[in-house]
Amino acid sequence: MTDARRCAALLLLAAPALIAADAQQSAKPQYAPIATRDFAVGPFRLALRSDTQTLARLSPAAEPGFSFVPTDREAERAGDGYNHIGDIHLRVRAPGSAWRDLDSAAARRPIRALPAAKTVIAAADITASLGTDSPLSVERRWVDEHGQLALRFTLRNVSATPVEIGVLGLPMVFDNIITDRTLDQAHAQASFTDPYIGRDAGYLQVTRLNGKGPALLVLPERGTPLEAYVPLLGPHERDGASSFADKSPRGQTSEGFYDWTVHSAGYVEREWKKGGEPWNAPTARTLAPGETLTVGVHLTPAPTIRAIEMTLAAAGRPVAVGIPGYVVPTDTNATLFVKAPTPIVRIDSWPAGAITATPAGTVKGWTRLSIRGAQWGRARLTLTYADGQAQTVSYVVTKPLDQTMADLGRFATTRQWYEGMGDPFGRSPAILTYDDEAKKIVDVEPRVWIAGMSDEGGGGSWVAAVMKQLDNPDAGEIAKLERLIDATVVGNLQVADGPHAGAVKKSLFYYDPAKFPHLYTGDPRQWQSWTSWKEKDANDLGRAYNYPHVAIGHWVLYRTARNHPDLVTRHDWRWYLDHAYLTVVAMMRDAPYYTEFGLMEGDVFVDILKDLQREGMTTQATEMERLMRHRADHWRSLKYPFGSEMAWDSTGQPEVYAWMRYFGFQPQADITREVILGYDPTIPSWGYNGNARRYWDFLYGGKYPRIERQIHHYGSALNAVPLFDAYRANPADLHLLRVAYGGMMGGITNIDQDGFSSAAFHSAPDMMRWDPYSGDYGMGFFGHAYAAGSYLANDPTFGWIGFGGDVREERGTVSIVPKDGARSRLFVAPAGQWIELEASKIAKAVYTPASGHIALTLDPASRGTTSARLFVTRTTGAGAAYRPSTGRLERGGYTIPLGAAPVEVDLTGR
């Protein structure tokens, strides 16, 4: 896409996104009501339109006022070009001819009702809506299948020649529309859909924004694999490539709808010809004259989100559970547990040998496969069952995480290091956004913040470089970061002194063609939107979202100076902690409006407060706690306190949760946890497992700005943080740990073999690759580095399992060797003990279930790390209070001298 077109896309899509949903109550057109027929099928109450027999309402019997489909918008979406469940998309051709698109929603014609008999509640021949001279006839039936709602299509080749079906898509139109709804209304009425694009084992899960049950599952009938999940673009987005579209506006308040795509080979020559490898190999189907094909799906309720896998198994669907997930470093063991109606008869890897799955017995009815990654990058396992069904599980194989951390730090402080350029904006030295496609730093961009070191799209790269030092400090990298803080942050990006001391600007880069006439190259039109801030706008101090980025810089260097004193040389630890505190105070003073919302990376404020308390800085701690309590009291008064500058967002919840927990507001923390689970799933795919919903931030931080479901944008790792905490408080809820670990590790997939870190992965099938801009990746890396740890659990079904480390049972003990990106945190779930190191690393831990004894082996001393700093926290009411066998208690933790050999530390309960 050209710069001019990117600008046009921003003007069209981004500006409306800044309008809050509760402010979008302008006068609406009046539409005539749509006639429907009501039915009861098992636990559902549904309505079909009388004219089209498409689905107009789908409600749980116990909650008839709620609908999974856009019932409230049925009248306004009644015309041509609006898709509904019950429509169909086909791309067909006869031998030697061109593809032809058939779309039942594009131009509706009267359908021919067919008799309803036995279990069929409604049926129709809908061929007329496919246009004239369709080579296929299509009959549709709604069926009561033993109390489950089924939707079936029968296609017949009515031509005299074979017909190849290159696309067969079933629109899945669920009510994800937030437009014109307040946050309370959206959480009560709207739902999000997540796909498991796993062929015959594929399904959709439709979960309510409030996280409450029931959830809805869309399950395939035989011969209806979920091969691809294709977005239905708006008419202005298609560029003439496809006839399949939907007229409902897509934007920040509405993600849009998708096709359950059974066959997708017809896309490869046109829409997908420049895309990366799809989730599954595209297929087509040819029907001989007179031959028929039947496809269909079941709509099945799951009582809760946590019961989705149980519901799938009860329905006879193949179920796969990856432990610890679907991101596999080459030095780490993983496991795939599979439950299916028939045995696995074949396992294939794409690329060949990239990942291996070795049978390792069974456990309580589950087949156990040992997983090892061998080739860096995306990989796919295909499990073929004895009944002929095929299931795909998508993985990413990474380097060992210690190497990944080193790669990121090195790339950010070399390839992204910007210095000595005579920069008129004072960005020297700096770590700026990088364009991996052009292989250069982005120092000029019409979305000025991307080049301006602030906002998320511009601050991400240097925040990532800083956060890497939290658990993996490097002397050379820290020296550069100290210079960056001294020369570019304090006194330029951040006000150094005076009445606004500590305040943070929106951007260092800005648009001023009079002052810099030769700087702003390219099409002049790309510089005419609201995104090209002038100097006054760039200097604005009122955007609270910018403050955590700077606070992180100060806080990490405080922690490094305190725990690795030889590595930080420009200031002492107190200077950095003072400046972290000053940043928080300035935010509350100079940017109060946005502090009404939870802020991405806002968890760092909790740690700054705790460090002030530990250091005995009572005056500062008291003031900061007062300021944060004001925010927490406000959130406590709201039903769903999860707003932002956007109409709906998935970035405020982590900080809201953190302060609810800190101040003891557990009911509000519980609500927050469940809301997160409403948009953050566990699914057998590296892409969607722990992938907290984001679909608009390519507009603000990506090279290719468009509305598109983002894979592991920063929301994934950020939302992992509260879920980890919730799991530590309730280790019986393994679902929390699985989602959290998927999100934390999802953020690692954005880091390539050189250490470049992408803002997110483009999930649309015409892209299927990581965005070339580093953009706002660092916000997600904050979540990863902040939460990285290993978890040892004893699951009632799967037995002893590890997340982040390799587990071994031996002679009454269970050991775990951490291999996560930090090796500084360990949770022993049966003991309820959260072990944290602010200095040193855990080489191994051995747990003795009979006694509860925990033995730690710590790494030897290294440059800058001559003492370990150990904290042990009891997280459950039943857990004992543990203390180490050695060490001096200070500042709430234990200081343990390190030497040339590993150090053994025993932890015992009292």
Side-chain angles (χ1 to χ4, degrees):
M1 183 181 289
T2 65
D3 287 338
R5 288 178 61 196
R6 285 205 299 272
C7 181
L10 285 165
L11 283 169
L12 178 65
L13 295 170
L18 299 178
I19 305 173
D22 58 359
Q24 297 177 359
Q25 305 294 338
S26 56
K28 301 178 185 177
Q30 297 299 310
Y31 299 95
I34 300 300
T36 61
R37 292 182 60 200
D38 293 337
F39 301 90
V41 177
F44 286 126
R45 300 298 177 264
L46 63 139
L48 301 178
R49 279 177 50 174
S50 300
D51 57 347
T52 64
Q53 283 190 12
T54 53
L55 190 61
R57 179 167 69 91
L58 183 65
S59 302
E63 198 172 349
F66 167 79
S67 177
F68 283 105
V69 299
T71 301
D72 292 347
R73 290 176 166 83
E74 187 63 31
E76 68 188 70
R77 299 188 69 255
D80 292 346
Y82 292 96
N83 291 272
H84 297 75
I85 296 178
D87 280 312
I88 192 168
H89 294 142
L90 296 162
R91 178 168 291 172
V92 300
R93 66 183 175 188
S97 64
W99 289 112
R100 176 184 174 187
D101 287 353
L102 309 175
D103 181 350
S104 67
R108 297 193 183 276
R109 300 291 184 270
I111 63 174
R112 180 170 63 88
L114 299 174
K118 296 183 179 179
T119 60
V120 177
I121 63 174
D125 184 325
I126 66 171
T127 308
S129 285
L130 301 179
T132 59
D133 302 322
S134 169
L136 301 179
S137 67
V138 178
E139 294 182 358
R140 179 188 60 215
R141 289 173 175 81
W142 293 95
V143 183
D144 183 341
E145 186 79 19
H146 307 295
Q148 290 190 5
L149 179 63
L151 168 63
R152 294 190 185 124
F153 296 87
T154 299
L155 288 63
R156 180 184 298 274
N157 181 357
V158 296
S159 74
T161 61
V163 174
E164 182 183 9
I165 302 172
V167 171
L168 198 169
L170 308 179
M172 293 287 124
V173 180
F174 296 105
D175 188 2
N176 60 15
I177 305 172
I178 300 168
T179 311
D180 296 327
R181 285 172 169 166
T182 65
L183 280 176
D184 285 3
Q185 291 169 339
H187 282 86
Q189 299 168 10
S191 302
F192 284 139
T193 306
D194 288 295
Y196 170 35
I197 311 170
R199 292 200 56 77
D200 296 315
Y203 60 87
L204 303 180
Q205 61 180 60
V206 188
T207 54
R208 303 174 64 175
L209 266 65
N210 56 24
K212 297 179 181 178
L216 174 67
L217 301 179
V218 184
L219 309 179
E221 294 195 329
R222 187 137 187 123
T224 316
L226 183 52
E227 179 172 291
Y229 192 56
V230 181
L232 298 174
L233 304 182
H236 66 279
E237 299 176 276
R238 291 183 295 115
D239 290 338
S242 172
S243 299
F244 309 133
D246 192 276
K247 291 170 67 175
S248 295
R250 296 191 334 130
Q252 192 274 326
T253 57
S254 181
E255 180 181 350
F257 311 120
Y258 293 78
D259 263 0
W260 175 300
T261 304
V262 178
H263 295 296
S264 60
Y267 284 123
V268 174
E269 299 172 14
R270 288 160 57 178
E271 294 93 337
W272 300 359
K273 62 184 177 182
K274 296 181 180 179
E277 178 71 18
W279 296 112
N280 294 297
T283 66
R285 171 72 181 269
T286 298
L287 296 182
E291 187 179 1
T292 62
L293 168 66
T294 298
V295 296
V297 295
H298 280 208
L299 286 78
T300 302
T304 65
I305 291 173
R306 290 171 176 81
I308 285 174
E309 289 168 342
M310 177 182 66
T311 304
L312 291 169
R317 308 306 306 154
V319 179
V321 173
I323 301 294
Y326 310 94
V327 180
V328 183
T330 54
D331 67 338
T332 303
N333 297 317
T335 305
L336 185 67
F337 295 96
V338 179
K339 177 177 282 190
T342 61
I344 299 169
V345 296
R346 180 174 173 176
I347 302 174
D348 296 291
S349 167
W350 174 92
I355 194 164
T356 60
T358 305
T362 61
V363 53
K364 296 189 176 180
W366 292 77
T367 297
R368 179 173 184 154
L369 301 175
S370 295
I371 304 296
R372 291 290 295 192
Q375 178 178 318
W376 186 93
R378 292 176 55 200
R380 180 174 64 237
L381 281 180
T382 300
L383 311 179
T384 303
Y385 296 97
D387 61 2
Q389 295 193 89
Q391 174 176 15
T392 55
V393 181
S394 294
Y395 283 90
V396 159
V397 178
T398 74
K399 293 181 180 182
L401 293 185
D402 58 347
Q403 295 181 31
T404 302
M405 300 298 105
D407 290 344
L408 180 141
R410 181 176 58 253
F411 192 100
T413 55
T414 56
R415 301 277 291 279
Q416 294 183 255
W417 186 254
Y418 181 86
E419 183 177 9
M421 307 296 183
D423 183 62
F425 303 97
R427 298 173 298 174
S428 178
I431 296 173
L432 298 183
T433 295
Y434 191 81
D435 181 347
D436 198 47
E437 192 172 55
K439 303 298 181 186
K440 66 178 184 179
I441 286 173
V442 180
D443 59 343
V444 175
E445 233 282 358
R447 294 163 291 176
V448 296
W449 56 84
I450 289 177
M453 272 193 71
S454 198
D455 203 274
E456 289 71 63
S461 292
W462 73 267
V463 168
V466 169
M467 280 303 298
K468 182 265 179 185
Q469 312 306 320
L470 182 65
D471 295 302
N472 296 282
D474 177 272
E477 294 168 5
I478 289 170
K480 286 189 170 183
L481 291 168
E482 284 195 275
R483 289 180 53 217
L484 184 153
I485 294 293
D486 265 10
T488 307
V489 173
V490 176
N492 194 7
L493 180 62
Q494 182 176 38
V495 179
D497 48 38
H500 298 289
V504 180
K505 299 175 183 177
K506 286 169 62 177
S507 175
L508 290 182
F509 181 67
Y510 53 84
Y511 179 59
D512 190 341
K515 188 182 294 185
F516 313 114
H518 304 298
L519 185 59
Y520 310 102
T521 57
D523 188 340
R525 291 174 296 177
Q526 67 184 323
W527 296 93
Q528 301 309 308
S529 83
W530 66 271
T531 68
S532 297
W533 294 334
K534 308 301 188 293
E535 183 175 12
K536 179 182 177 182
D537 299 318
N539 287 338
D540 183 81
L541 306 176
R543 191 175 187 276
Y545 294 98
N546 295 320
Y547 287 70
H549 314 335
V550 174
I552 287 167
H554 295 309
W555 174 71
V556 170
L557 288 176
Y558 151 73
R559 280 281 182 98
T560 307
R562 198 62 161 117
N563 299 307
H564 310 275
D566 294 340
L567 299 183
V568 177
T569 60
R570 285 182 171 250
H571 303 285
D572 64 11
W573 63 263
R574 183 179 294 273
W575 187 93
Y576 286 111
L577 185 56
D578 274 337
H579 277 73
Y581 166 73
L582 180 67
T583 306
V584 178
V585 173
M587 177 184 75
M588 300 302 295
R589 180 191 64 228
D590 293 313
Y593 174 73
Y594 287 124
T595 64
E596 295 180 10
F597 308 126
L599 306 175
M600 64 283 287
E601 316 130 280
D603 311 69
V604 73
F605 296 149
V606 179
D607 280 270
I608 292 170
L609 174 56
K610 289 180 178 179
D611 283 330
L612 290 170
Q613 294 167 340
R614 287 171 179 166
E615 297 290 2
M617 299 171 69
T618 306
T619 301
Q620 295 93 325
T622 301
E623 174 62 7
M624 184 174 174
E625 188 172 61
R626 182 188 70 82
L627 293 171
M628 297 301 105
R629 178 62 186 251
H630 177 76
R631 300 171 73 206
D633 285 341
H634 169 65
W635 295 332
R636 189 186 186 192
S637 70
L638 303 176
K639 190 172 184 180
Y640 297 106
F642 312 124
S644 80
E645 59 190 337
M646 301 298 184
W648 174 88
D649 213 334
S650 59
T651 55
Q653 289 83 344
E655 193 195 2
V656 170
Y657 176 91
W659 288 118
M660 296 300 99
R661 288 276 283 162
Y662 178 86
F663 287 113
F665 303 151
Q666 192 59 43
Q668 287 75 22
D670 293 343
I671 290 171
T672 306
R673 178 196 66 215
E674 295 305 298
V675 164
I676 292 172
L677 294 180
Y679 59 76
D680 201 346
T682 178
I683 283 175
S685 164
W686 72 268
Y688 290 91
N689 192 49
N691 183 34
R693 184 168 302 270
R694 309 286 295 165
Y695 56 87
W696 64 86
D697 262 345
F698 281 137
L699 298 173
Y700 306 108
K703 184 171 183 177
Y704 297 104
R706 53 194 206 164
I707 295 293
E708 177 180 15
R709 181 69 186 274
Q710 296 171 277
I711 297 296
H712 296 308
H713 190 242
Y714 60 70
S716 294
L718 290 182
N719 281 276
V721 174
L723 296 183
F724 276 127
D725 180 85
Y727 172 74
R728 293 193 295 268
N730 180 19
D733 193 347
L734 189 68
H735 182 88
L736 295 170
L737 178 58
R738 290 173 57 198
V739 177
Y741 204 81
M744 185 194 74
M745 289 298 290
I748 292 302
T749 65
N750 301 37
I751 303 172
D752 73 8
Q753 290 176 287
D754 294 329
F756 166 77
S757 51
S758 166
F761 184 86
H762 288 270
S763 70
D766 67 324
M767 290 283 280
M768 290 298 290
R769 59 180 177 268
W770 283 273
D771 193 88
Y773 272 12
S774 55
D776 46 18
Y777 171 72
M779 285 67 250
F781 188 74
F782 166 85
H784 177 91
Y786 186 85
S790 293
Y791 288 73
L792 177 65
N794 189 11
D795 183 72
T797 298
F798 303 131
W800 287 102
I801 51 178
F803 288 70
D806 291 342
V807 173
R808 183 177 180 180
E809 298 177 61
E810 187 176 23
R811 295 193 298 274
T813 65
V814 184
S815 65
I816 183 168
V817 176
K819 295 184 178 180
D820 61 85
R823 291 203 293 119
S824 300
R825 302 173 197 92
L826 170 66
F827 183 61
V828 181
Q833 300 300 313
W834 180 225
I835 301 162
E836 300 173 273
L837 286 170
E838 290 182 359
S840 189
K841 291 182 179 293
I842 302 169
K844 183 180 180 180
V846 178
Y847 175 62
T848 305
S851 65
H853 176 264
I854 302 170
L856 299 179
T857 302
L858 306 184
D859 279 3
S862 61
R863 179 185 175 187
T865 308
T866 57
S867 296
R869 285 283 296 152
L870 174 67
F871 295 78
V872 184
T873 305
R874 177 177 58 188
T875 64
T876 63
Y882 277 58
R883 62 181 299 172
S885 58
T886 184
R888 181 179 70 257
L889 181 63
E890 58 181 12
R891 293 185 287 118
Y894 293 87
T895 300
I896 302 171
L898 300 174
V903 173
E904 304 293 331
V905 179
D906 291 325
L907 300 177
T908 54
R910 290 179 297 171

